[in-house]
Each structure stands twice: as C-alpha cells, then as structure tokens.
Amino acid sequence: MAGPNVDGTERSTQRIEAFSDGVFAIAITLLVLDLRIPAGEGSDSGTLLNAILGLWPSYFAYGLSFTMIGIYWANHHYLFKLFAKTDHGLNLLNLLLLMFIAFLPFPTHVLGTHWPEEASRPAAVTFYALGLLLPAVAWLLVWLYASHNRRLVMPQLDHGFVHKLTLQFLGTVAVYALAVAVSVLDHRWGLAMCTGLTLLYLLPPRTPVYRRSNEPSRVKET
Amino acid sequence: MAGPNVDGTERSTQRIEAFSDGVFAIAITLLVLDLRIPAGEGSDSGTLLNAILGLWPSYFAYGLSFTMIGIYWANHHYLFKLFAKTDHGLNLLNLLLLMFIAFLPFPTHVLGTHWPEEASRPAAVTFYALGLLLPAVAWLLVWLYASHNRRLVMPQLDHGFVHKLTLQFLGTVAVYALAVAVSVLDHRWGLAMCTGLTLLYLLPPRTPVYRRSNEPSRVKET
Amino acid sequence: MAGPNVDGTERSTQRIEAFSDGVFAIAITLLVLDLRIPAGEGSDSGTLLNAILGLWPSYFAYGLSFTMIGIYWANHHYLFKLFAKTDHGLNLLNLLLLMFIAFLPFPTHVLGTHWPEEASRPAAVTFYALGLLLPAVAWLLVWLYASHNRRLVMPQLDHGFVHKLTLQFLGTVAVYALAVAVSVLDHRWGLAMCTGLTLLYLLPPRTPVYRRSNEPSRVKET
Amino acid sequence: MAGPNVDGTERSTQRIEAFSDGVFAIAITLLVLDLRIPAGEGSDSGTLLNAILGLWPSYFAYGLSFTMIGIYWANHHYLFKLFAKTDHGLNLLNLLLLMFIAFLPFPTHVLGTHWPEEASRPAAVTFYALGLLLPAVAWLLVWLYASHNRRLVMPQLDHGFVHKLTLQFLGTVAVYALAVAVSVLDHRWGLAMCTGLTLLYLLPPRTPVYRRSNEPSRVKET
C-alpha cells in the first residue's frame, strides 16, 4: 500500500497487528473443534443429554481459554499502541507469542478431556497452567525488548508508566509460574488460580501516562 | 495505525468489528468439518451414494447454521454502525457474543449426527435451540449495555427507534427461549421454529431513524 | 469507520468483499485437514512412503480444489469491482455462494478418500462435479440479480459486455451440469471435464468494457 | 474500494497480500490441530504426563513449521514491497506458493507422528524436507516471473540487488533440494539441515538497494 522503505523493513506496527489479530481470531474459534460427543454415546435422548451435560469440563475449559485469548487480543492492541515502530526482533518475539497463543487449544483440550478422570486431573491442570504461563513469558519478552532503552516505545511515554508495566508483566509471569507449582501440589487450587487470574484480567488495562513537558500537547498522531 | 489515545482505550469500533468479522468467517467455514462419511461406509458407488445422501440432516444443519452465522455477521455490522464508540464493557460483552457464535458448530454437529437416531432427536433439537438462544441473549446484553442511558449509541439516534430495537431483541430472546421449551415437548415443532426464525431473519433489518431537529443535516460522519 | 447511512444499509461492497475473502482463505486452507495417513499405516519407512504416495488422489483433489477456490477468490474480486453498490439481496446471494464455496472441502475429501476404491469412483466423481456445480449456480444468481435492469452494476458498464458475461456464466453452469451428467455415465471423462474446466479458468478474465460517450473519461473513481 | 480499472485487473498488490496473509495466519494456527494425546492414553496423571511429554517430536515439528510459516509471512511482505504492481501470472504463481504453504501442516503432522517409530523416521524426515522444498521452489518462480525483464519489480530497484536476490533464492532451493537428498541418506543430518536453515532465515532479510541517479530522492511513494 505504502511505497517501499529504503531499508525494506516494516516500520509501522499495522501489518504485524493484522496478522496477530488473524491468529487470535483463528485460535479462539478453533477451540470449538475440541467439543465432541464421544463416539457411540447418545443413542437416545437420555444418554445424549447425559453426554452433552457430561462435557461440562470441556465447556469450562472452552470458556476459560476463549476469554484468555480474547483478553490477549485486546491487550495486544493496547500494547502495540504504546509502540512507535516495530523491528525484526519484535517481529520474532511477537511470533513466539503467537506460537504460544496458537498452542493454547491443545492444553485446553487436555484439560477438558482428562478432567473427568479424577486420577489424571493433576497432570491436566498443571499442563493447562503451563499453557497459560508460556504466552505470559513471551509477552514479557516482547515488552522487555521493546521498552529496553525505550527501543520501540512511544518517546513521549512516561518513564514511571513504563516501569509500572514492566513490574506488572513480571508479576503476571510470577503468578502463572506459581499457578504451575500450585497445580502440581493441589490441582483444585491450581485451577482456581488460573480461573481467578483470567477474571482479574477482565478488568480494564492500566491507562497509559504520557510525559507532560511545557508543551501541552505532546501526544502526537503518527 | 492511528496514534495512541491519551487513555489507551479504543474509541473506534473498527478493530472490534474486524476481529468479530474474523470469528464469524472462521466459525461459518469450520461448519464443513462436521460433514464426514462414517468410517467404513462407501466401499462401492451404491453405498457411497447412500452415505452421501444419508447425511442430509447434516446438510440441513450446515445450511441452517451457515445462514444463522451469516445473518449475525450482517446484523453485527448493522448494530455497530449505530454505536458512536466502544468501551471496555462492550468489548467484553461482544466477546461473550463471539464465544456463543463460535460455539454454534458444536450443537450443529450434534443435530446433524444424532438426528438419524430417532430416539435422540428431542435432546439434539433442544440443544440446537439452546445453541441459538445463547447468542441471542448475548446480543441483547450488548444492545442493553450500549443503549442504556444512550451510553454508546450515536447521539442523534431517534429515541423511539432505540426503544423499538430493544423490544425486538427482547422478543428474539423470548422466541428462542420458547423454541427451547417447545423442543423439549415436541422436537419437530422446535426445529420448525428454529428454521422459521432463521428464515424470518433473512428479511432486511429495520431502517435506523435519526432525530430530526431544526438543523436538517444531523447525521454526521464520524 | 464511516458514519451511519441514513437507511442503515451498507452501500459499499468493501465489507462484503473482506468477509468473502476471509471465507475463501479459510476454506482453501482447511483443505489440508483432509490429508491424513490412515491410522496404523507407516510403521516403517517403506510402508510410510507407500502410505504417503498412496494419498496421490487426495493430493490431486487438494490441488484441484485449491486452484478452484483460488480462482473464485480472484474472480469474486473481479466481479465485485463491476458493482457500484450492494444491497440486502446481493448479501444473501453472496452468502449462498460462500455456503457452497465453504462446502467444497467435503466433496474434495470424498473424492480423495474414495478414489482408491475403484467401485466407488463414479459416486465420488459425480459428487465432486456437483460440488463444483453448486457455486457456479450461486455465482450465476449473484450476477443475474446484480445485472438485472442494471440494478447494482456500474452505470457506465457497456451493455454488450454485461450481456457477454451473462452468457459466459450461463455457459459455466451448463458445462458443470454436463460434467455431473457425464460423471454418472463415465467417471473418468467426468473428472477430466472438471480438471479441464479448472485449467480453463486459469486464463485471465475478460476485460470489462465501459461505455464511451462524447465525454472521454467516463470511468470514474467512486 | 477504488473504482474499476479500465482493464479490470488488479494493479495494486494490496489485496493479494491480504489474502496471502489470511492463508499464512490460518495455516500457522491449524498446526495445533495435530497435537493430540493418543486415544486411550492418560488415564492417570503419570501416564497423562508421559503422553504429554511423549509428544515432544510433535512440539518440535510444531515449533519448526510455525517458525517457517512465520518467516514466509514476513518475507512475503518484504518481497511484495519490491513489486510495483501485480498481474494475472503473479496471482497464479502466488496461489501456487500458498498451496504449498497451506500443505505444510501435513508433512509436519507426519514428522511429529512418525518420528517416535524409529524405522519410519527416514521417510518422515524426507517428506518434511520435501514439504519445505516445495514453497521454496514456488517462491523462486514468483521472483523469477516478477523480476524477469523487471516485469513487476519497482523500476528504481538496483540491478545488482535484483541479481543478488535471484542468486539467494536459487541457493535456497538448492539447499532444500540437498536437504531432501541428505534426508534419504541420513535422516538425522536431513532434519538438522531443515532446522539449521529455519534458524538461518530468522536473520533479518537483505536491505533493498535502490538506484541512485542524479535525482537524489528516487524512492517514491506509490
């Protein structure tokens, strides 16, 4: 659309956001493919109803992961609006993030399918918590790369705000790592942590703070 | 694309519409994955033809759900054009709507697969009707949230028109709830209601009415 | 993005094209899901190689349907550039077209899976030819609806050109209907027709002709 | 959006890029569908953990193919920014490229599923290397077609740079062909080559060189 940049790299974050949006939308919609009545069940209305109701762990996992990916979608846009530009390194780290987002349907499937067997719950929950930890780690890497020495973030972004976000994303990784550890010890508390964190992330994100200097309107449209 | 808003939230409905469009397009296209010749059938042309023809309940369910999601796609755009802006709450309710839209392939699959077994039809149809009720409820919530105290709708939208839409969406939820109840009692009438409602929604949507004051051209481009 | 139209309908073809593009892209990419090594095969390199090579009918069907959907994608854009606007009826007929495009992976799967069993080839090829006929019929309906009384086509489009396209699309439906009939009688000739037609449609589309009146530059950008 | 071109062909590369982006995003996200716990495994936490860990060849194949498609996505954009326009031939060759990209999940699945059986590794790795060779060949064809006689590339692109890219893409095809041959002889070296090449392509692409004539600012926005 725009002509070529002299150095052939993409400066604007627009295309990387569109691609990421595509992956988010596809991953979130693929979750439904894991909802299946087990073969051979449901030959009459009573057993079919039981089979449908018996999938509640899968519905729960579906709802949880759908919400999680939806939050990542919203927050991804929030984050990339803080970036003034992109570069090759950010592209690669963003690809890592997408790799982990696109991976989420698998632990979701494992959680939904194996929860009914009580003996396999600890492994299923731990794997699910790990599935949530991985994108949180990639997210932190994206942020650290972009904000280090203010490499890619908007120049007028407030220093304290950048620092606060760093702490917040570090904290997210820490609590998901804790959720993995807790899941090993007690899968109920582990799942409760995963659910609680997802609900927590439904809260609106922190309002960005831009530096105020003598010039009042520093927030420029790019 | 645009620079950052001072408070970091997305005001325009453009990106939420693009993401929703993606989910609609993916969910509608995933429906085909549920069309499958049962393993071991179709070893010659006669049995293969029978197997292909025998999938008619799945074709019917495919066509019905495809049409339904297509209508939601068209109406979603219609609705969001009535909104002057979006906010965090609308994002979350829209995500709930998408969660139920993306869920539709599952009851569609259940209906297509279990219709051939006569004894399991009541449960299959009831579940399908429920699958249509859920997005209707989320749709109503989206509208109530956006139109309550004219929170997000275009300021020049006519009061009477807003009221009429509220009644219409309440009515939709009511008839789908009725379709669920009817399906429990008589699955043929239940399915007929679901089909009839889908056909009804093929009619063009209600033309929006904008307030006319002394100033003749109140309909502004945003 | 744009403000609301007074009557709430979408005049521009932009959003319907974007949605259609999404369905084309998803349907074309879902085709790969039907490529599967049969369970239990391929326990050593020799049998795995045989299993991989033995899927050649599926590769052929994959390539044929991929090309076909790709052609529809390109031609869809070509067609919609001839339209000055869209309306509710066109939306519905386009949805019918998308329904048949999104359906194509199923007859593709049937063709690839059942070709190896010689006795089931006639039914498999006939169903595949039918799968190609259906979108051709919907395409014709889209065109007839849009061009009838020049309802939606660009006003400056040459009458003779409109007439030629009508004949061409009628001809397409006729040859695919013939391919279905031929497949019933001789599946080899039926498949040859389907393949030949696909190759034929790889040719560039007919150049639109715009009316030339005394004013030399009638072709306006909308 | 733009009005019709007089000859009805698409000059801008925008729409072909958007469609290609869609296919890249879908193919990359579909990779997760091949991650599955074998039926019947994982009835308790120990066996489930074993089954999850036992999928490591699938995780490896997932990561490798995800990275590969991600690189193709980034490079596709890089390449198309060198093109001043598109034509029917480029559309078809690009479709061939997409056909091979969308095919990648299948050899990825074969590699992940059949690696655990040691005897079937040579065929699995050879097929995977072939799966990487095919899009490299299509990529070369796209480039040769577009750059031959400077048919579609930006007119101000430096001749030497065009020549260097040709050599680079020829080299890519050569090394992937070599990887196929090596895989036949020794699958470990074959897989090492595939992995090494993917890592190599993580390096940033070559900076385009534009001709400098007496007029200093030849790089125009189109």
Side-chain angles (χ1 to χ4, degrees):
Chain A
M1 185 159 27
N5 296 316
V6 174
D7 66 351
T9 62
E10 184 69 358
R11 289 283 174 234
S12 144
T13 64
Q14 190 185 348
R15 193 164 177 263
I16 195 176
E17 284 188 79
F19 184 72
S20 306
D21 278 11
V23 172
F24 287 127
I26 301 156
I28 215 171
T29 319
L30 287 183
L31 289 168
V32 75
L33 295 182
D34 290 317
L35 300 175
R36 283 290 165 267
I37 305 287
E41 285 192 31
S43 58
D44 62 64
S45 272
T47 56
L48 180 56
L49 193 67
N50 277 341
I52 291 171
L53 295 177
L55 286 178
W56 70 264
S58 290
Y59 304 143
F60 177 79
Y62 172 81
L64 200 58
S65 292
F66 199 101
T67 307
M68 205 66 229
I69 299 179
I71 292 168
Y72 266 107
W73 167 72
N75 286 353
H76 191 266
H77 189 45
Y78 166 85
L79 194 70
F80 272 68
K81 283 204 298 182
L82 305 179
F83 296 169
K85 59 188 181 199
T86 179
D87 68 5
H88 190 70
L90 187 73
N91 277 354
L92 294 186
L93 287 172
N94 186 65
L95 195 64
L96 187 75
L97 172 65
L98 295 180
M99 191 188 287
F100 291 144
I101 291 289
F103 184 76
L104 251 186
F106 180 50
T108 305
H109 168 76
V110 169
L111 179 63
T113 325
H114 290 275
W115 180 269
E117 310 152 49
E118 195 155 355
S120 61
R121 280 181 201 169
V125 172
T126 306
F127 186 49
Y128 186 73
L130 188 71
L132 295 181
L133 172 62
L134 290 175
V137 169
W139 182 271
L140 176 65
L141 294 178
V142 164
W143 173 250
L144 289 179
Y145 177 82
S147 65
H148 183 68
N149 288 333
R150 313 182 71 77
R151 188 189 274 123
L152 301 173
V153 294
M154 306 293 293
Q156 66 271 43
L157 209 60
D158 180 74
H159 261 82
F161 177 73
V162 169
H163 193 63
K164 266 184 199 154
L165 275 194
T166 305
L167 289 181
Q168 180 185 325
F169 298 156
L170 273 168
T172 301
V173 167
V175 284
Y176 276 118
L178 185 66
V180 172
V182 167
S183 299
V184 173
L185 300 173
D186 185 325
H187 65 271
R188 279 159 305 188
W189 278 103
L191 190 56
M193 273 190 74
C194 292
T195 312
L197 284 168
T198 302
L199 295 179
L200 194 71
Y201 281 109
L202 288 178
L203 296 176
R206 195 184 289 273
T207 302
V209 182
Y210 293 96
R211 222 167 29 216
R212 270 158 224 291
S213 55
N214 292 344
E215 307 92 284
S217 62
R218 259 292 173 86
V219 182
K220 287 178 300 190
E221 300 289 309
T222 41
Chain B
M1 185 161 24
N5 296 316
V6 174
D7 66 351
T9 63
E10 184 69 359
R11 288 284 173 231
S12 144
T13 64
Q14 191 185 346
R15 192 162 178 263
I16 194 176
E17 284 188 80
F19 183 72
S20 305
D21 278 11
V23 172
F24 288 126
I26 300 156
I28 215 171
T29 318
L30 287 183
L31 289 167
V32 75
L33 295 183
D34 290 317
L35 300 175
R36 282 290 165 268
I37 305 285
E41 285 193 32
S43 59
D44 63 63
S45 272
T47 55
L48 180 55
L49 193 68
N50 277 342
I52 291 171
L53 295 175
L55 286 177
W56 70 263
S58 289
Y59 303 144
F60 177 80
Y62 172 81
L64 200 58
S65 292
F66 199 100
T67 308
M68 205 66 228
I69 298 179
I71 292 168
Y72 267 107
W73 167 72
N75 286 352
H76 192 267
H77 189 45
Y78 166 86
L79 194 70
F80 272 68
K81 283 204 298 181
L82 305 178
F83 296 169
K85 58 188 181 201
T86 179
D87 69 4
H88 190 69
L90 188 73
N91 277 353
L92 294 187
L93 287 171
N94 186 65
L95 194 65
L96 187 74
L97 172 64
L98 295 180
M99 190 189 286
F100 291 144
I101 292 288
F103 184 75
L104 252 185
F106 179 50
T108 305
H109 169 75
V110 169
L111 180 62
T113 324
H114 290 275
W115 181 269
E117 310 152 49
E118 195 155 356
S120 61
R121 281 181 201 170
V125 172
T126 306
F127 186 50
Y128 186 73
L130 188 72
L132 295 181
L133 172 61
L134 291 175
V137 170
W139 182 272
L140 176 65
L141 294 178
V142 165
W143 173 249
L144 290 179
Y145 177 83
S147 66
H148 183 68
N149 287 333
R150 313 182 72 78
R151 188 187 276 123
L152 301 172
V153 294
M154 306 293 294
Q156 67 271 40
L157 209 61
D158 180 73
H159 261 82
F161 176 74
V162 169
H163 192 63
K164 267 184 197 155
L165 274 193
T166 305
L167 289 181
Q168 180 185 325
F169 298 156
L170 273 167
T172 301
V173 167
V175 286
Y176 276 116
L178 187 66
V180 172
V182 166
S183 300
V184 173
L185 301 172
D186 185 324
H187 65 272
R188 278 157 306 188
W189 278 104
L191 190 56
M193 274 189 74
C194 292
T195 312
L197 285 168
T198 301
L199 295 178
L200 194 71
Y201 282 109
L202 288 179
L203 296 175
R206 196 183 288 275
T207 303
V209 181
Y210 292 97
R211 218 162 38 210
R212 268 158 225 294
S213 56
N214 294 342
E215 307 93 284
S217 62
R218 261 289 172 89
V219 183
K220 288 178 298 192
E221 301 288 310
T222 41
Chain C
M1 184 159 29
N5 295 318
V6 174
D7 66 352
T9 62
E10 185 68 359
R11 289 285 172 232
S12 143
T13 64
Q14 190 186 348
R15 192 163 178 262
I16 195 176
E17 285 188 79
F19 183 71
S20 306
D21 279 11
V23 172
F24 287 127
I26 300 156
I28 216 171
T29 318
L30 287 183
L31 290 168
V32 74
L33 296 183
D34 290 318
L35 300 175
R36 281 291 165 268
I37 304 286
E41 286 192 32
S43 59
D44 63 64
S45 272
T47 57
L48 180 55
L49 193 67
N50 277 341
I52 290 171
L53 295 176
L55 285 178
W56 69 264
S58 289
Y59 303 144
F60 177 79
Y62 173 81
L64 200 57
S65 293
F66 199 100
T67 308
M68 204 66 229
I69 298 179
I71 292 168
Y72 267 106
W73 168 72
N75 286 353
H76 192 267
H77 189 43
Y78 166 85
L79 194 70
F80 272 68
K81 283 205 297 182
L82 305 179
F83 296 169
K85 59 188 179 200
T86 179
D87 69 5
H88 190 69
L90 187 74
N91 277 353
L92 294 186
L93 288 171
N94 186 66
L95 194 64
L96 188 75
L97 172 65
L98 295 180
M99 191 189 286
F100 292 144
I101 292 289
F103 184 76
L104 252 184
F106 179 50
T108 305
H109 169 75
V110 169
L111 180 62
T113 325
H114 290 275
W115 181 268
E117 310 152 50
E118 194 154 358
S120 61
R121 282 181 201 169
V125 172
T126 306
F127 186 50
Y128 187 73
L130 188 72
L132 295 181
L133 172 61
L134 290 174
V137 170
W139 182 272
L140 176 65
L141 293 177
V142 164
W143 173 249
L144 290 179
Y145 177 83
S147 65
H148 183 68
N149 288 333
R150 313 182 71 78
R151 187 188 275 125
L152 301 173
V153 294
M154 307 292 293
Q156 66 271 40
L157 209 61
D158 181 73
H159 262 82
F161 176 73
V162 169
H163 192 63
K164 265 184 200 154
L165 274 194
T166 306
L167 288 181
Q168 180 184 327
F169 298 156
L170 273 168
T172 301
V173 167
V175 287
Y176 276 117
L178 186 65
V180 172
V182 166
S183 300
V184 174
L185 301 172
D186 186 324
H187 66 272
R188 279 157 306 188
W189 278 104
L191 190 56
M193 274 189 74
C194 292
T195 312
L197 285 167
T198 302
L199 295 179
L200 194 71
Y201 281 108
L202 287 178
L203 296 176
R206 195 184 289 277
T207 303
V209 182
Y210 292 96
R211 221 164 35 213
R212 271 159 222 291
S213 55
N214 294 343
E215 307 93 284
S217 62
R218 260 286 170 92
V219 183
K220 290 178 299 193
E221 301 288 311
T222 42
Chain D
M1 187 156 31
N5 296 317
V6 175
D7 65 352
T9 61
E10 185 69 358
R11 290 285 174 232
S12 144
T13 64
Q14 189 184 350
R15 193 164 178 261
I16 195 176
E17 285 188 78
F19 183 71
S20 306
D21 279 10
V23 172
F24 287 126
I26 302 156
I28 215 171
T29 318
L30 287 182
L31 289 168
V32 74
L33 295 182
D34 290 317
L35 300 175
R36 281 291 163 269
I37 304 286
E41 286 192 31
S43 59
D44 64 62
S45 272
T47 56
L48 180 56
L49 193 69
N50 277 341
I52 290 171
L53 295 176
L55 286 177
W56 69 265
S58 290
Y59 304 143
F60 176 79
Y62 173 81
L64 200 57
S65 292
F66 199 101
T67 308
M68 204 66 228
I69 299 179
I71 291 169
Y72 266 106
W73 167 72
N75 286 353
H76 192 266
H77 190 44
Y78 166 85
L79 194 70
F80 272 68
K81 284 205 296 181
L82 304 179
F83 297 168
K85 59 189 180 198
T86 177
D87 68 5
H88 190 70
L90 187 74
N91 277 353
L92 294 186
L93 288 171
N94 186 65
L95 195 64
L96 187 74
L97 172 65
L98 295 180
M99 191 188 286
F100 292 143
I101 292 289
F103 185 77
L104 251 185
F106 179 50
T108 306
H109 169 75
V110 169
L111 180 62
T113 325
H114 290 276
W115 181 268
E117 310 152 51
E118 194 153 357
S120 61
R121 280 180 201 170
V125 172
T126 305
F127 186 49
Y128 187 73
L130 187 71
L132 295 181
L133 172 61
L134 289 175
V137 170
W139 182 271
L140 176 65
L141 293 178
V142 164
W143 173 250
L144 290 179
Y145 177 83
S147 65
H148 183 68
N149 287 334
R150 312 183 71 78
R151 186 188 276 124
L152 301 173
V153 294
M154 306 293 293
Q156 66 271 40
L157 209 61
D158 181 72
H159 261 83
F161 177 73
V162 169
H163 192 63
K164 266 184 201 156
L165 275 194
T166 306
L167 289 181
Q168 180 185 326
F169 298 155
L170 272 168
T172 301
V173 168
V175 286
Y176 276 117
L178 186 66
V180 172
V182 166
S183 299
V184 173
L185 300 173
D186 186 323
H187 66 271
R188 278 158 306 188
W189 278 103
L191 190 56
M193 273 189 75
C194 291
T195 311
L197 285 167
T198 301
L199 295 179
L200 195 70
Y201 281 108
L202 287 178
L203 296 176
R206 195 183 288 276
T207 303
V209 182
Y210 292 96
R211 220 165 33 213
R212 271 159 223 290
S213 55
N214 292 344
E215 308 92 284
S217 63
R218 258 289 171 89
V219 182
K220 287 178 301 194
E221 300 288 309
T222 41

